[in-house]
Amino acid sequence: MIYNCPNCMAALIYNPQYGKLHCLSCNSTFETNAFEEKEKNEETIANRETDELKKAGIIDELMECNIYTCTACNAELAVNGVETSTFCAYCGQPTIVFNRVSSTKKPKYIIPFSITKEQAVSSIRNHLSKGSFVPPEIQNFSVERVRGIYIPYWLYDIRYFDEQYLSGEVKSGKSTITKYYYRSATTTFYDVTMDASKQLNDESSQRLEPFDTVAVQDFEPSYLTGFYADCFDMSETEMESYARARCMQMFNQQIEKSVHASNIKLLKNAPKLEVLKTEYAMFPAWFLTFRYQDVPYTILVNGQTGKVVGAVPFTKAKVSMLFWAIGALASMICTGLAFFFLQAGTEVDSDILEIVLYGIVGGFVMWGNGVNKLKKVKKSIELSKSTKMNSFVKDRQEG
């Protein structure tokens, strides 16, 4: 379905800047609910056609073909298995696959795009320009494609109860003793967000969070026009176990924060979870792809908050130089202190020696943290250049 401007009949798109449907031809704007009657008529027709296909016994065959007709130019579109809004590859008009929306579970909520394409590209450029180790070719990237895509999410309200017995180590003078703790608590997690798309990497979607779910709107198909949108291909039942595990992890993290000890261990617990509510929603994200050394990289931007997600290749020579400099400095300090103590020829005060040892250990900890951070960056780079991510963005009708 295409929303046409009543003034000039050009196709309307949802404009995040205005929060309304916008005609690029005559610059008119319309409220998102201005075409409710058109939506109802389209849905009625789609349902009638679906019923007729069911009676004829051929609906499964036709649905497998994923062929839909553009209501602007009557061209037939081949749409991937989860797209609910796209662009016609022939006339370029934004279109909503309304019979797809009406024949699957309709989203209850949506967070409309509030970040424009231009703002998303600008945010990514600003983000990369601050990276001291980012190559100039990447900082001045050329955009290969930008997609605004609504991602399907399940929202869970989950009540969680647990009583836990834990152990932890605490300092007692110069010794370390083991103490035991008991914790009992009940909490309710509201709007736990779980990405319901198989095609999108879960780690990438989680890094887009948080979304402000207080700002959700009742679903209106008009929000989809001008953007791509996928319907879920992971059911609420399939995702429920992941939601439960996520709540358990968040609960345990808060419990650990209440225990002032180190090397904390969970000895025994009895968790109880109850799913209170599950809702289907669509959340916005921008996907920008550029090439570096002929490899595509995709950076994500939260379409509501503007948060930039993704890492890019760094200049290895600069990073190596930094690590060597830190290592050389630590070595010089240790050598200097050792020489000082040998020259002194007297017994060193234990407090001074303890400070020195803490300093040396602290240096190694900083080194280790740097190595761990580098590993995380490398993992994030792999996500940015993964073929799965590239396919998720690329395999769509061109607008």
Side-chain angles (χ1 to χ4, degrees), residues 202-223:
D202 291 341
E203 189 167 348
S204 296
S205 61
Q206 285 183 15
R207 291 184 182 191
L208 278 170
E209 298 178 8
F211 287 94
D212 180 11
T213 54
V214 175
V216 297
Q217 304 287 328
D218 289 336
F219 178 77
E220 290 283 349
S222 54
Y223 285 119

Side-chain angles (χ1 to χ4, degrees), residues 36-158:
E36 285 184 351
E37 194 62 34
K38 177 181 174 68
E39 293 166 8
K40 290 177 181 177
N41 291 337
E42 292 282 353
E43 186 170 359
T44 300
I45 293 171
N47 289 336
R48 188 183 301 132
E49 290 175 349
T50 300
D51 290 339
E52 289 174 358
L53 292 172
K54 284 181 179 178
K55 290 178 182 177
I58 57 173
I59 188 169
D60 291 337
E61 179 185 352
L62 291 178
M63 289 187 72
E64 287 174 4
C65 293
N66 296 324
I67 302 297
Y68 298 89
T69 303
C70 173
T71 54
C73 67
N74 291 319
E76 290 188 334
L77 305 177
V79 184
N80 76 37
V82 293
E83 281 185 87
T84 57
S85 67
T86 184
F87 291 82
C88 177
Y90 299 94
C91 68
Q93 300 285 15
T95 183
I96 298 173
V97 186
F98 207 87
N99 50 347
R100 175 67 59 79
V101 174
S102 61
S103 62
T104 62
K105 185 179 173 94
K106 185 178 180 181
K108 183 168 184 179
Y109 299 118
I110 189 170
I111 295 180
F113 275 88
S114 57
I115 302 296
T116 66
K117 178 170 72 173
E118 293 74 20
Q119 289 172 329
V121 174
S122 178
S123 295
I124 293 173
R125 290 195 186 279
N126 291 337
H127 179 74
L128 296 181
S129 68
K130 297 175 184 177
S132 304
F133 304 111
V134 178
E137 301 93 323
I138 293 181
Q139 290 181 337
N140 302 307
F141 65 83
S142 296
V143 177
E144 180 169 307
R145 72 178 70 89
V146 184
R147 303 275 200 249
I149 303 175
Y150 280 104
I151 303 170
Y153 276 85
W154 292 111
L155 306 181
Y156 296 89
D157 288 355
I158 296 178

Side-chain angles (χ1 to χ4, degrees), residues 215-283:
V216 297
Q217 304 287 328
D218 289 336
F219 178 77
E220 290 283 349
S222 54
Y223 285 119
L224 305 182
T225 184
F227 298 95
Y228 297 88
D230 288 356
C231 62
F232 67 89
D233 51 9
M234 293 286 287
S235 71
E236 56 188 290
T237 305
E238 290 176 295
M239 294 305 300
E240 185 177 304
S241 60
Y242 296 101
R244 288 171 175 266
R246 192 171 183 187
C247 289
M248 180 179 292
Q249 182 184 30
M250 291 188 289
F251 185 93
N252 290 343
Q253 286 174 347
Q254 292 303 313
I255 291 294
E256 282 198 14
K257 287 181 181 179
S258 73
V259 177
H260 304 294
S262 59
N263 196 23
I264 301 170
K265 295 179 181 178
L266 177 61
L267 303 178
K268 184 181 178 182
N269 70 323
K272 296 178 182 178
L273 294 87
E274 180 185 2
V275 177
L276 304 178
K277 186 176 67 173
T278 307
E279 301 290 2
Y280 176 33
M282 285 185 168
F283 293 167

